[in-house]
Every structure is written in C-alpha cells, then in structure tokens.
C-alpha cells in the first residue's frame, strides 16, 4: 500500500476548507452519535492537536470496523476537508473512506485518561503516543535542530568522536568497561590480574564520558569544531537529574580564552531557546499548562537578558552573606550545589549567571591554571553557566595549553602522562590557547519542557538497575 497523497495533520489544521485530502494516524478517541455517525480524533505525531474525522453509516465498513474503533488503532482516511462545526479547531474531515490499518483493543495501555509518569515509564515504547511525550519529543527535536543550525552558522565543523575510548576525560573512573573477555573466567597474568592484553583492543577500553579530548585535536587543526553524541557515566545516582547514558554537545574553539568561551555559551543558549519559542509555540503552551506556568516567560527572559558574570570567589562571598541556612554549607573550596546555583539565578540576580575561576582542586586536569592566583588558593579558568530552576546547564573552561603544566596536573590527579601522549602532543606541536564547553542535551530539554524528571525527556532512559526496552 502506498501513501503518495497523504498530508500531515499539522498542515491540514492550518489549511483552508475545501478539497479532498488523505491522512493517516492513530485513533485517540471515538465518540458515537445516535444519528448513525461518529467523531474520531486522529493524531499522526506531527503536532499537538488531533484532527476530527466525521464518519457516517454510509461507509461500507461503518458497522463492522469504523464504529468499533478504539484508542491505538491506526487508520487511513480519505475525505473532504470541511469547516468544523465544533470548538477547538477550524477544520475537520468528512470521511469518504476509512481503512483500518492496524487494530487495537482494551488492553492498549494508553487510554484517554490521565496516566502517571511512573506508569508511562513502564510502557516507554508506547508513551510517545500521549500528548505529553509527543510534545517533549518535538521540543527535543527542535533543540537538536537548533544546535546544528547555530554552530553551522558560526562556521563550526561537526566532528564525530569515538564512543569507545581508552582515555578517562574526567579522571573520575566512573566508566563502563567494553570487553569481549569471558567475565566468569577471564585470562590472567602471571601475577593473577586480568590480562587485558588478550582483550579485543589489547588493553582496557571504556564507553566515553566525553568527546572533548578527541574534539580538541580537531579544533587544533580546523579552528572551530563541535561534537554531538552519546556519552556514558557509571555513576550510581538515582536522582531526577542523572542518566547513565545521555547526549552531549561539546564545542571547542582554537585561539580563544575563557571570555570567548562564555560569549559563545551565551549566544548559543539564546539562539537555541529562541528557536524553540518560535517553532514550538503549541507544544510550549501545552507544557506550560501541564508543568510550569512560567515556562515561556523564563525562556523569553533568558533570550532577552544579558548573562551576569561573577567569579567563584564572588559567588561564595554572596552566598555566605545571604543569610540563608543552606543544606550544604558554603565555604571557599567546596563545589557549588544546586541550591546555591538556584539562589544566585532566581533570587540574587533573577537571570542566568556565569560563574568563573573555580578552585583548581575541584576541577578537571585539563583546565588552565590561572596566572596570578594566590598560591594558597590556585584557581583554573573554568566556567559554569547557571540558569533558573535547574542550576548548572553548561560547564566549560579554557584548556591548559602549556605542556609542562598539563603534565604536572595529570600526575597530580594520580594518572600517567603516558596514557595521554597524543593529547600532550597538541602542546608539543604548535600549541595555542583554546577553550570549550559541554552541554547535556537531556538536562537542556528538561529545562525547556519543565519536566520534573530527566528520565522523561529521553526515549529510553538508562539508569542504575534499569535498561529496559
């Protein structure tokens, strides 16, 4: 069966009445009338709204199939696009034929009633058929489109970095191992240790936590690059903000310092949020009503407001003088928590805040040590971009371009510079100041949609003790 003349419901709802149309989709609801006709709400995923199909008993399969349609059935409809007599939409389709492509029954989990998010996670393969998850999927798509559009417009090259790596970018050790060895009886060295020399890659390999290090190699040849791909963290965190598998956007730019990095991050977020506001108005309206009535206002505020920039030391001073009783006490040298970040963005400044120059001991080895910092308080040229309601959205830094300093930082983290020989080569051969940042796609979508749990903004969440579907 071919569908050459099928039109999307999104296009039909914005078309003037008149003419024959063909549409296909899934039944949301059916309402039968005593007059020998029924109203069928059909949705094809192209937009938030369903279109009303009016079918009467003149159809040859009306009694046998059409009047017995249930939620979940798939149909092909041919009919006249007519002015709607009801409320809520301007057009409807008067069916000349309704072909039932796939039947459903009362066991279909997505019935026309309210379902909890917990229940919908149990049927994640079907939850995209709900209004809520359809809206989230379309917004996620728009965020992705806007990411590529922004970087392409600024002459960044899209680079694909490996998912399998032998390098630990963060130095935290929370990585998933990739191996073909028999886990029950692995080969051993004479010392009794697992002999990874007999593994597929002849060494220990992992799923990547970041494409940054590989991305830097291309930035130091092409000037401006960005990566956009899946990353993995074997962190045992069961919170509404953490996933074990998620997508990261990571730009790197050569001949740039931390200020350039912050400028890029601000332009980037404003561009992405502006695109979502312009291209997903119906979905944002629905999500505002469902999740957060201030959602659109918050996004507009970010697009229209200059970001505040303060140092970590200034931030700690403001937090200590705030008079607030913090769940996590604040002092110089500790990492800022979500409660601190939200106070800065929601109460103190009421706009996004870029915090820079963090203590070196709480940041990664590749971040540039600041010149002129007090010896007892060494800092790095790092930044976090904080937004209301969620806290940190972007983390970035100027990268350490000095070979001797970077080698020293690697050793201080308890790692071996020999494992990063190729990364260090960037500092041996034509080193340049360069910078970059990372943005988690799911956390961004969570912020844009107002969803309370990050597991609900990715099609199939991977979290500790859960890898269904």
């Amino acid at each position: 069966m071919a569908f050459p003349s099928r039109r999307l419901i999104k296009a039909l709802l914005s078309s003037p009445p008149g003419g024959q149309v063909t549409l296909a989709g899934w039944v949301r609801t059916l309402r039968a009338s005593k007059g020998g006709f029924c109203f069928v709400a059909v949705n094809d995923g192209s937009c938030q709204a369903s279109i009303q199909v009016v079918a009467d008993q003149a159809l040859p399969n009306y009694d046998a199939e059409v009047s017995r349609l249930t939620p979940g059935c798939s149909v092909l409809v041919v009919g006249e696009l007519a002015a709607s007599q009801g409320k809520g939409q301007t057009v409807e389709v008067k069916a000349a034929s309704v072909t039932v492509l796939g039947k459903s029954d009362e066991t279909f989990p997505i019935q026309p009633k309210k379902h909890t998010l917990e229940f919908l996670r149990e049927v994640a393969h079907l939850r995209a058929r709900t209004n809520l998850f359809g809206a989230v999927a379309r917004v996620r798509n728009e965020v992705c489109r806007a990411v590529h559009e922004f970087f392409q417009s600024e002459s960044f090259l899209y680079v694909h970095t490996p998912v399998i790596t032998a390098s630990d970018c963060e130095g935290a050790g929370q990585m998933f191992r990739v191996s073909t060895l028999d886990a029950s009886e692995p080969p051993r060295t004479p010392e009794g240790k697992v002999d990874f020399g007999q593994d597929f890659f002849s060494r220990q390999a992992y799923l990547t936590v970041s494409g940054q290090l590989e991305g830097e190699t291309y930035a130091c040849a092409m000037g401006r690059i960005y990566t956009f791909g899946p990353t993995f963290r074997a962190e045992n965190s069961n919170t509404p903000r953490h996933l074990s598998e998620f997508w990261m956007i990571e730009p790197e730019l050569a001949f740039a310092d931390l200020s350039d990095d912050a400028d890029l991050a601000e332009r980037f977020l404003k561009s992405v949020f502006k695109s979502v506001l312009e291209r997903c108005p119906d979905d944002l309206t629905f999500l505002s009503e469902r999740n957060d009535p201030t959602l659109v206002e918050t996004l507009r505020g970010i697009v229209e407001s200059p970001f505040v920039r303060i140092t970590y030391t200034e931030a700690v001073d403001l937090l200590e003088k705030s008079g607030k009783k913090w769940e996590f006490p604040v002092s110089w040298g500790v990492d800022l928590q979500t409660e601190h970040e939200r106070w800065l963005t929601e109460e103190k400044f009421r706009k996004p805040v870029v915090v820079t120059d963090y203590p070196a001991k709480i940041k990664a080895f590749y971040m540039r040590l600041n010149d002129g910092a007090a010896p007892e308080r060494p800092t790095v040229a790092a930044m976090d971009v904080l937004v209301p309601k969620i806290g940190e959205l972007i983390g970035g830094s100027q990268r350490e371009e000095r070979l001797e300093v970077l080698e020293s930082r690697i050793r201080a983290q308890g790692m071996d510079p020999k494992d990063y020989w190729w990364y260090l080569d960037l500092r041996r051969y034509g080193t340049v100041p360069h910078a970059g940042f990372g943005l988690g796609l799911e956390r961004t979508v969570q912020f844009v949609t107002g969803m309370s749990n990050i597991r609900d903004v990715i099609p199939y969440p991977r979290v500790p003790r859960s890898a269904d579907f």
Side-chain angles (χ1 to χ4, degrees):
M1 180 181 291
F3 305 89
S5 58
R6 177 198 166 213
R7 294 181 62 188
L8 296 179
I9 290 173
K10 177 181 179 180
L12 292 179
L13 292 174
S14 59
S15 299
Q20 180 174 283
V21 297
T22 300
L23 65 98
W26 294 269
V27 173
R28 287 286 176 84
T29 62
L30 180 141
R31 179 166 54 91
S33 171
K34 294 180 181 179
F37 58 92
C38 59
F39 303 98
V40 188
V42 179
N43 186 278
D44 65 0
S46 64
C47 64
Q48 181 66 227
S50 299
I51 195 165
Q52 179 169 277
V53 174
V54 183
D56 62 34
Q57 59 187 2
L59 297 175
N61 62 338
Y62 181 84
D63 291 326
E65 292 185 307
V66 177
S67 64
R68 298 183 181 185
L69 288 171
T70 58
C73 292
S74 57
V75 294
L76 175 68
V77 179
V78 178
E80 178 192 356
L81 188 65
S84 177
Q85 303 301 313
K87 297 180 180 179
Q89 59 187 33
T90 58
V91 292
E92 61 188 19
V93 174
K94 292 185 177 180
S97 69
V98 177
T99 303
V100 180
L101 302 175
K103 293 183 179 181
S104 184
D105 58 29
E106 67 278 358
T107 64
F108 179 58
I110 312 299
Q111 294 295 321
K113 64 179 182 179
K114 186 172 183 178
H115 297 286
T116 66
L117 295 177
E118 291 76 15
F119 169 75
L120 291 173
R121 288 180 206 130
E122 296 174 2
V123 291
H125 59 303
L126 296 171
R127 65 180 181 173
R129 297 198 199 180
T130 65
N131 287 332
L132 177 61
F133 284 91
V136 170
R138 285 184 292 271
V139 170
R140 181 185 173 105
N141 172 75
E142 178 54 33
V143 170
C144 295
R145 190 205 61 79
V147 166
H148 287 293
E149 185 174 81
F150 172 81
F151 285 119
Q152 294 294 326
S153 72
E154 296 226 353
S155 299
F156 279 72
L157 188 74
Y158 182 28
V159 172
H160 301 91
T161 51
V163 169
I164 298 174
T165 180
S167 302
D168 182 358
C169 178
E170 300 297 329
Q174 296 172 321
M175 304 174 74
F176 290 102
R177 181 174 287 120
V178 176
S179 176
T180 58
L181 296 180
D182 185 343
S184 61
E185 295 184 7
R188 301 282 180 177
T189 65
E191 295 76 23
K193 296 182 179 180
V194 176
D195 185 2
F196 288 102
Q198 298 186 44
D199 207 346
F200 188 89
F201 295 107
S202 298
R203 62 183 302 176
Q204 294 192 62
Y206 308 90
L207 294 179
T208 186
V209 299
S210 168
Q212 176 199 317
L213 302 190
E214 292 88 349
E216 283 185 52
T217 67
Y218 266 72
C220 289
M222 314 302 294
R224 293 181 164 203
I225 68 96
Y226 71 105
T227 73
F228 191 167
T231 55
F232 308 84
R233 304 285 170 94
E235 182 179 355
N236 190 18
S237 295
N238 263 307
T239 78
R241 290 164 52 89
H242 289 89
L243 290 167
S244 300
E245 176 185 349
F246 56 98
W247 286 66
M248 286 279 286
I249 299 103
E250 296 179 289
E252 294 288 330
L253 57 163
F255 311 106
D257 60 14
L258 186 64
S259 178
D260 299 317
D261 205 26
D263 290 343
L264 177 69
E266 181 170 348
R267 292 198 309 277
F268 171 61
L269 286 181
K270 288 182 175 182
S271 177
V272 171
F273 294 162
K274 184 172 183 286
S275 291
V276 174
L277 285 166
E278 291 176 350
R279 295 175 181 258
C280 300
D282 293 340
D283 288 319
L284 285 181
T285 297
F286 172 82
L287 291 164
S288 296
E289 295 170 351
R290 166 63 172 74
N291 295 334
D292 178 5
T294 66
L295 183 62
V296 173
E297 177 186 350
T298 299
L299 293 174
R300 283 179 179 155
I302 292 175
V303 171
E304 297 169 0
S305 301
F307 291 10
V308 173
R309 300 192 188 185
I310 59 174
T311 66
Y312 168 88
T313 301
E314 292 169 335
V316 169
D317 185 56
L318 290 170
L319 292 162
E320 288 179 329
K321 293 178 180 178
S322 67
K324 303 277 286 187
K325 186 175 181 179
W326 305 109
E327 179 181 355
F328 298 94
V330 181
S331 61
W332 200 96
V334 304
D335 208 355
L336 300 184
Q337 301 297 315
T338 302
E339 61 173 336
H340 310 139
E341 296 168 344
R342 292 190 60 175
W343 179 82
L344 290 169
T345 58
E346 295 173 21
E347 297 186 43
K348 177 61 181 177
F349 295 108
R350 297 182 181 276
K351 60 180 64 176
V353 178
V354 182
V355 180
T356 64
D357 304 306
Y358 280 79
K361 67 179 182 180
I362 63 173
K363 289 296 182 180
F365 70 90
Y366 51 76
M367 297 186 177
R368 192 185 197 280
L369 278 173
N370 282 323
D371 299 319
E376 69 278 7
R377 285 188 171 187
T379 60
V380 289
M383 68 167 188
D384 284 342
V385 181
L386 316 179
V387 296
K389 302 182 181 181
I390 203 168
E392 179 195 343
L393 200 56
I394 282 177
S397 72
Q398 183 174 340
R399 313 313 190 188
E400 182 56 77
E401 85 280 9
R402 297 164 295 186
L403 177 61
E404 297 79 8
V405 177
L406 182 57
E407 288 180 324
S408 176
R409 291 275 284 155
I410 291 174
R411 291 191 183 96
Q413 295 275 352
M415 300 183 295
D416 188 347
K418 293 180 182 178
D419 294 335
Y420 296 87
W421 64 271
W422 55 272
Y423 187 65
L424 292 170
D425 272 359
L426 299 180
R427 282 75 181 169
R428 291 189 179 96
Y429 309 125
T431 188
V432 295
H434 59 290
F437 63 76
L439 172 83
L441 173 63
E442 282 72 27
R443 188 168 292 187
T444 304
V445 176
Q446 186 180 7
F447 174 68
V448 172
T449 59
M451 297 295 285
S452 60
N453 196 312
I454 200 167
R455 301 180 191 196
D456 299 323
V457 298
I458 190 170
Y460 298 107
R462 297 292 182 253
V463 296
R465 293 173 293 281
S466 177
D468 297 330
F469 306 102

